[in-house]
Amino acid sequence: MSVDESPLPDDVASSPSPYTCAQARAEAGAAVMPLCESLPHHQARRLYEDALLVASELVANALRHGGGITRFSACVHDDALVIHVSDRSRAEPRRLPRDPAVPGGFGWLMVENLARTVDVEVSSDGKTIKAVLDGVSYS
């Protein structure tokens, strides 16, 4: 995981913060559609489903571990879907030791595996996670 020291770009439109995973999935799905339209059906479906999973997981983690969402955005930039999720916690995400007897605990690993890059920017009022899903890697 790398830390991105730059603020969110001014050209990234931010929507009203979704407070549910369903709202994040809907916004990410709508944002990724232009990338999907240029791909064969099976690749488009995989990119679309990955986008929904990453958005949902980041929002779920922000709600469960981050003190709530303060910002969410999903947009296409340079043939990639860029998802930003901000929350109130300054604690960086981390992988936890897996206990097969305990459900859950795969979300952060899944985000790291599905996204081309995942950056975390910590500030005095929380953190922002930026996940990039590269549409080119699906073609």
Side-chain angles (χ1 to χ4, degrees):
M1 170 176 43
S2 62
V3 176
D4 180 7
E5 296 298 330
S6 62
L8 291 175
D10 290 334
D11 63 344
V12 174
S14 179
S15 69
S17 296
Y19 289 97
T20 69
C21 295
Q23 289 170 302
R25 285 190 301 269
E27 189 168 334
V32 79
M33 284 309 292
L35 288 176
C36 292
E37 290 171 357
S38 64
L39 298 173
H41 177 73
H42 69 284
Q43 292 167 331
R45 182 177 176 150
R46 188 170 144 232
L47 173 59
Y48 183 82
E49 290 172 352
D50 288 355
L52 300 186
L53 281 169
V54 169
S56 187
E57 235 359 274
L58 290 176
V59 167
N61 287 346
L63 292 170
R64 184 172 184 187
H65 306 290
I69 298 167
T70 58
R71 182 173 182 200
F72 177 90
S73 67
C75 67
V76 172
H77 182 69
D78 291 335
D79 291 325
L81 176 67
V82 181
I83 299 170
H84 290 98
V85 178
S86 301
D87 64 38
R88 293 178 176 87
S89 172
R90 295 179 62 207
E92 291 196 30
R94 58 190 171 93
R95 289 185 201 168
L96 300 175
R98 284 295 310 133
D99 179 352
V102 177
F106 293 102
W108 184 244
L109 178 62
M110 182 178 63
V111 168
E112 289 181 312
N113 285 330
L114 293 178
R116 179 186 70 198
T117 61
V118 181
D119 297 310
V120 179
E121 177 185 341
V122 178
S123 66
S124 61
D125 59 345
K127 70 177 167 297
T128 297
I129 298 174
K130 174 182 161 186
V132 178
L133 284 85
D134 188 355
V136 174
S137 66
Y138 289 85
S139 55

